[in-house]
Each structure stands twice: as C-alpha cells, then as structure tokens.
Amino acid sequence: MIGIVVSTADRASEHIHEHLLEVADWTTTRDEGRSPGEGGGEVSRTDGFEMRVFDDWHLELDGVAAAFDDPDLVVFASRHSGETGPLLTAHHTGNFGPAEYGGADRDLARAAPNAHSQVLDALAEHAPADYEVGMECTHHGPTDVGAPSLFVEVGSGPDQWDDPDAARAVAQAILDLRGVMADAPREDGEASARRHLVGFDGNHYVPRFERIVRETDWAVGHIAADWGLDALGDPLESEDVLRAAFEESAADYALIDGDRPRLERAIDDLGFEIVGESWLRAVEGVPLPVARRVENRLAAIDDGLRFGEPARGYDGAFEIVDIPGELLDEAQGIDREATREAVEGVALAFTTEQSATLVGDRAAVVDSEDRDALVEALADVLRMDYDEVTVGDDRVVARKEAFDPGLAAEAGVPEGPKFGKLASGQAVEVDGERVEPGEVSREREATFPV
C-alpha cells in the first residue's frame, strides 16, 4: 500500500490532490482519531493507495507514515522551487550536514530507489510538452518518515504550480506506482545484492545519476551533491552518515562523480564497493553473483571484460576457454564488428583489448558445446571472405580463389592499376586481349588450428 501525503501549505500539492481525485475512483471515509490537519478527517482510498491531508509543510512531517495503515511506501505530492523553468522532478530526503530545511542534522530518510526509478519513467511519459523531467540530490527533510519515501514534484514556480496539465501529469505518475515496490528485488545467490547505488558529488540536479537511472537497470538512492559533501565534512570523520546513506538506500555500491580520494577511502573502510559507469553498463541484465564470479575467474570489467547476450539472466555454471587466436585474428581482420557480434551471441563473457575495441583471447561459456559454437560463429565470419570454410575437430580450413601476381605477370599484365582491377574481380585488356580474373587466380588455402 502506498500512502500519499498532501499538504495544504503547498498550493502545488493541493492542485495535485485535486487531479488525483479526478483521475482515479476513490472511496472516502473519516478518521476521527486524528485531527484534520494531522492526516485525520477525510481519508481517500483507491486500489493500492491511501491519501491523507496535512496542514504542515511536507518537509516538517517527520513520522508521517504512522498516520497511514502500514504503508510500504510514502509519496509526498509537492512543489519544486528553483530557477529551472517547467520541471517535474523526484528525489529522496535527508541531510548530509546541518538541517536547514526540515528533518534532523546529518540524518537520512529511508529511500525508495526502485519506486524512484519507476516514477521518473512515468513522469517522462505523462509530462506536458514544455516540461523537462529530472531528479535531484538529497537536500531537505523530513528525515524520519517511518517507511520508504520520495517526493514527486511540480516546478519550478507559481505558473507551474497552478498548471493543470502539470498537476495531472504528477497525479498520473504517482498512480502509476500502483504495485511497485520501494526496492528492487534481491538477486539470488547474494543475500544483500540489489541494483541500488548511493551517489556522491556532482551538482544539485545530478545529470550523471539521472542518466544511470534512465539508461540502465540500476536505481539510485541517496545522493550527496558537491555542496552536500562540503556540509558533511571530512568523510573519514563522518562514517556514521556514510553508513546510513548505504543502509537507508538498501545499497552496497557507490558511484562517485568526481575525484574524492578521502571519500573513496572512507567507503572502502566501511566495506562498500565503488563502481564506475562502465561497470554498471557492462553488468546490465547479468545477475550480479554471476558477474562477480566471471570477474574473479576471467578478468575485471575495468580491465576490459564484457558480457555476451547469453549472460542476460543466466545464473548457472560456466567454463573458461581460450578463443583460437589465429582464427580470431583472421575474423577480426575481415570484419571487426561482425566478429564482436559473433562472440557476443555465443559467449557469456569475453576479454577485450585496445580499449575494448577488439575481442580478446579468452571467454566464459556454458559448456564445451558453446565453445564449439564459438568456433562455428567465427567460421561464419570467415565465410564473408572465403569461398569455402570447413570446421574440423582440430582446425578450420578456409579456401578461396585469389589473385596471383605471378600468373598476371606471365599473362603480360603490367603492375599497377590493372593488377588492382584483377584482384577486385574485374577483367582487363592487355595489348587488345581480354584477361579474365579467373585466368590469373589460383586457390589459396589457410588453416587455423582450434
């Protein structure tokens, strides 16, 4: 069940409230156990949601989950203030330093990373044409909600707070959270593994972290922007707050958008892991326990490891094999992109070289049959250039008719452009005589041990 918090102190919140009532069928009851200004009085319910109205500003509503019937998630329908023009946004709450706008000093509310990702997608779907959609860092209270929570907002000024299209978009996005859990599911085989991140550094509107959320299967919990880190102080003396950022985000991983060696050291001391954007993208769709086992046995993602299509969702055993070097070199010389696609289609993972532009010499496959399939896939690349390719138990043999400069010279063809035409399959004329490519070609055979 999702609790929706409306504040009469916030005109945008009241406007969103009106549209929430319009776009869903609600039943209304009265809660006489609480005063109307504290979430009592008239209470609205629809499938999966309970909506209550409060007099105080949202950021002052610590403990608000207690007003609801055991909510799994609390959503604050709110306004956003700033110089950012028409904007729909979502974020989590808390203070990495002093509490200037609600909540407690150096305290963080329980985030809802998975719901946050879902509501950003919904805002993008419903946003009016002239509105941008974004996410913000963690920057104000409340800090003790009593359940996972997030703010969903209309911004950034009075014109937008009163805009019915914007209010309706936020209302629809909130209702699209029906059935959505606050957290991503744990991944089998690793008790604490979720695709959740804590973010550090960057500016208030966190474009890098928004890119991660919008373009990958990772969700982001609390984010300490550059000014939040300044308010935090020395990370090595603030490990309690850093630990809370991970715990309240249900996260084991961090992404740092900048160079913060003392922060890196503090996170490492706490036992959490710092990852890069390339790592996050590389493991998309790959179960994290499998990704870790492959990294341990084959290579690190930061050292060029990449995953193939069979790894998406795979959670079984695997073998490490060598990719036949001469065969691989020949295939990449014929068509580098086709070779990459061939390997990605068969291997669970593979090493790369030259800044991940070339396939490397080792791979993880499910079993020996996939190793054979990998050889067959590379042989298919050779067929783009050879007339006949035969795959045997211990070798691949490739044959083709190729231009022979010696035969061309014997036929009286002078070196130069005519050699080039014959090599490309075009006939030429020499002293009034036509010379066909087949007359100056002979079969070439290449053998590649596997």
Side-chain angles (χ1 to χ4, degrees):
M1 193 277 289
I2 297 174
I4 302 175
V5 178
V6 176
S7 168
T8 59
D10 180 344
R11 63 202 261 191
S13 184
E14 290 189 300
H15 204 188
I16 296 166
H17 180 214
E18 294 171 8
H19 285 273
L20 281 163
L21 293 173
E22 288 180 8
V23 298
D25 294 325
W26 300 81
T27 59
T28 302
T29 59
R30 290 195 63 81
D31 179 357
E32 302 298 348
R34 287 178 170 269
S35 66
E38 296 177 346
E42 194 170 276
V43 179
S44 300
R45 293 184 175 88
T46 191
D47 182 27
F49 295 91
E50 178 182 323
M51 183 159 56
R52 293 175 178 261
V53 180
F54 300 80
D55 287 344
D56 288 339
W57 289 101
H58 291 118
L59 51 80
E60 298 172 355
L61 291 173
D62 279 309
V64 72
F68 294 87
D69 183 15
D70 192 23
D72 300 292
L73 173 67
V74 171
V75 177
F76 295 85
S78 178
R79 76 181 194 184
H80 167 70
S81 298
E83 303 296 327
T84 49
L87 175 68
L88 307 182
T89 184
H91 67 87
H92 298 117
T93 63
N95 301 301
F96 282 91
E100 297 184 22
Y101 302 101
D105 294 346
R106 299 167 66 83
D107 194 18
L108 301 165
R110 177 61 161 86
N114 184 59
H116 177 258
S117 296
Q118 297 294 324
V119 85
L120 284 172
D121 288 342
L123 288 172
E125 177 182 350
H126 298 299
D130 56 339
Y131 279 74
E132 294 185 4
V133 173
M135 53 188 278
E136 299 174 77
C137 67
T138 300
H139 63 287
H140 62 62
T143 55
D144 181 20
V145 177
S149 65
L150 70 155
F151 271 55
V152 186
E153 303 175 333
V154 171
S156 299
D159 290 345
Q160 289 79 43
W161 302 337
D162 296 333
D163 182 352
D165 292 335
R168 180 174 291 265
V170 171
Q172 290 172 322
I174 291 173
L175 293 176
D176 281 354
L177 288 173
R178 180 180 284 111
V180 173
M181 300 303 293
D183 296 332
R186 296 184 186 276
E187 300 199 4
D188 292 342
E190 193 172 334
S192 62
R194 300 183 195 268
R195 290 181 188 265
H196 288 184
L197 292 171
V198 177
F200 296 97
D201 218 344
N203 63 36
H204 184 93
Y205 292 97
V206 298
R208 187 177 190 190
F209 299 105
E210 181 180 351
R211 185 170 68 241
I212 294 296
V213 170
R214 302 292 290 275
E215 296 179 5
T216 78
D217 55 2
W218 285 81
V220 179
H222 284 295
I223 303 173
D226 49 9
W227 60 265
L229 289 174
D230 291 341
L232 175 71
D234 186 349
L236 292 171
E237 298 179 0
S238 304
E239 292 189 347
D240 56 333
V241 183
L242 294 178
R243 181 181 291 106
F246 286 92
E247 292 176 350
E248 302 300 345
S249 301
D252 294 307
Y253 301 94
L255 177 64
I256 302 176
D257 187 17
D259 184 20
R260 298 272 182 171
R262 290 184 70 81
L263 175 62
E264 292 178 14
R265 180 178 160 191
I267 292 172
D268 186 63
D269 288 346
L270 289 170
F272 299 107
E273 184 170 359
I274 300 167
V275 296
E277 187 171 343
S278 61
W279 189 90
L280 298 171
R281 292 182 182 276
V283 300
E284 185 166 4
V286 181
L288 295 177
V290 171
R292 285 309 191 195
R293 293 203 305 271
V294 173
E295 279 198 293
N296 289 337
R297 291 184 57 191
L298 187 55
I301 290 170
D302 289 346
D303 292 333
L305 179 73
R306 294 297 181 265
F307 290 92
E309 287 304 316
R312 314 301 170 190
Y314 182 76
D315 195 19
F318 57 87
E319 300 176 5
I320 304 298
V321 299
D322 293 328
I323 302 176
E326 294 179 26
L327 179 62
L328 177 63
D329 290 344
E330 185 72 6
Q332 295 197 118
I334 292 169
D335 192 320
R336 182 181 298 184
E337 184 174 339
T339 302
R340 177 72 168 248
E341 291 176 357
V343 174
E344 286 180 338
V346 177
L348 293 171
F350 53 95
T351 59
T352 64
E353 301 172 353
Q354 296 186 20
S355 301
T357 59
L358 288 178
V359 175
D361 59 359
R362 302 178 73 215
V365 295
V366 174
D367 51 33
S368 58
E369 290 185 3
D370 277 353
R371 199 270 185 182
D372 294 341
L374 184 57
V375 171
E376 289 283 358
L378 294 174
D380 281 342
V381 178
L382 266 58
R383 292 184 177 100
M384 299 168 62
D385 189 57
Y386 285 88
D387 301 324
E388 179 185 358
V389 178
T390 303
V391 180
D393 291 338
D394 61 353
R395 71 192 65 193
V396 172
V397 180
R399 300 179 179 87
K400 66 178 175 180
E401 289 288 326
F403 171 68
D404 187 319
L407 292 177
E410 291 176 12
V413 181
E415 290 189 32
K418 291 184 179 181
F419 265 36
K421 287 184 177 181
L422 288 166
S424 64
Q426 303 176 56
V428 299
E429 191 172 292
V430 178
D431 297 331
E433 297 291 330
R434 183 179 176 85
V435 180
E436 297 289 343
E439 299 173 26
V440 294
S441 299
R442 70 171 75 236
E443 184 177 84
R444 293 186 180 276
E445 181 178 288
T447 300
F448 307 98
V450 298

